[in-house]
Amino acid sequence: MNLVLAPALTGFATGFSLILAIGAQNAFVLRQGLMRQHVFWLCLFCATSDALLIMAGVAGFGAMVEAWPSLPLVMALAGAGFLIVYGTMRFAAAVRGDYAMELSGQSRPLLATIAIAAAFTWANPHVYLDTLGLIGAISTSFGDWTQRIIFGLGAVTSSFVFFFSLGYGARFLAPVMQRPKAWQMLDVIIGLTMWAIAIGLIRGVAIGTIG
């Protein structure tokens, strides 16, 4: 039993600890959860994307980075650019203070919502570092492939648990978010988070820790 339970728990704990920190993807899921719009499909997309990346990391996808050393640099710059633009949009929304759509529960179409989530997921170098890099590296501590796969499934389970808990748990904050001021504060926090992550990426490129 320990041969199954140990790698599964290790994978779950590793995946959950890596995804727990607030980031661009999490902030977007939280915002949609508060609006109660496209929550299921958004959570499913984010969790499934994580699952693909985690299993690729366990399978040794890190070899691609070795084959194309400039990949982390390209991803970092593209991700930073996107985060700066989205953060600016959130600051602009906070300045305008027009939250009629949010207060009425309206949202952008499903495809547009998924497209933004895709950018946060697949254009975010940190996602690759966590899934392909760290989880992939930790999986090698397990001797045989069966245990590595169980470790990966544990990490995948943590992603599904986290995203669906975040998306549907956000509705408990709904009473607080009935005032435009609360949405303004949320957008400012999200904007600062986006810019902070972007600055971290650019700094990583500048000092050579990325690329």
Side-chain angles (χ1 to χ4, degrees), residues 63-132:
M64 177 178 285
V65 176
E66 295 180 8
W68 188 16
S70 61
L71 180 61
L73 174 62
V74 173
M75 288 168 46
L77 293 177
F82 176 78
L83 292 172
I84 289 172
V85 171
Y86 188 78
T88 303
M89 291 172 59
R90 298 275 50 91
F91 284 128
V95 170
R96 289 195 304 270
D98 182 10
Y99 290 100
M101 178 180 292
E102 285 80 359
L103 293 174
S104 65
Q106 299 179 26
S107 176
R108 57 179 61 85
L110 174 60
L111 288 180
T113 300
I114 296 299
I116 294 175
F120 281 137
T121 303
W122 295 95
N124 183 358
H126 286 170
V127 171
Y128 294 90
L129 175 63
D130 288 349
T131 55
L132 300 181

Side-chain angles (χ1 to χ4, degrees), residues 10-94:
T10 302
F12 187 92
T14 301
F16 204 85
S17 62
L18 289 175
I19 202 173
L20 190 59
I22 185 67
Q25 190 185 45
N26 297 352
F28 184 65
V29 173
L30 174 64
R31 198 174 195 279
Q32 287 298 125
L34 287 168
M35 296 174 68
R36 303 186 185 188
Q37 291 292 314
H38 313 309
V39 177
F40 175 81
W41 294 111
L42 177 61
C43 292
L44 181 63
F45 175 84
C46 291
T48 302
S49 297
D50 266 13
L52 293 174
L53 289 167
I54 288 169
M55 298 314 293
V58 172
F61 192 75
M64 177 178 285
V65 176
E66 295 180 8
W68 188 16
S70 61
L71 180 61
L73 174 62
V74 173
M75 288 168 46
L77 293 177
F82 176 78
L83 292 172
I84 289 172
V85 171
Y86 188 78
T88 303
M89 291 172 59
R90 298 275 50 91
F91 284 128

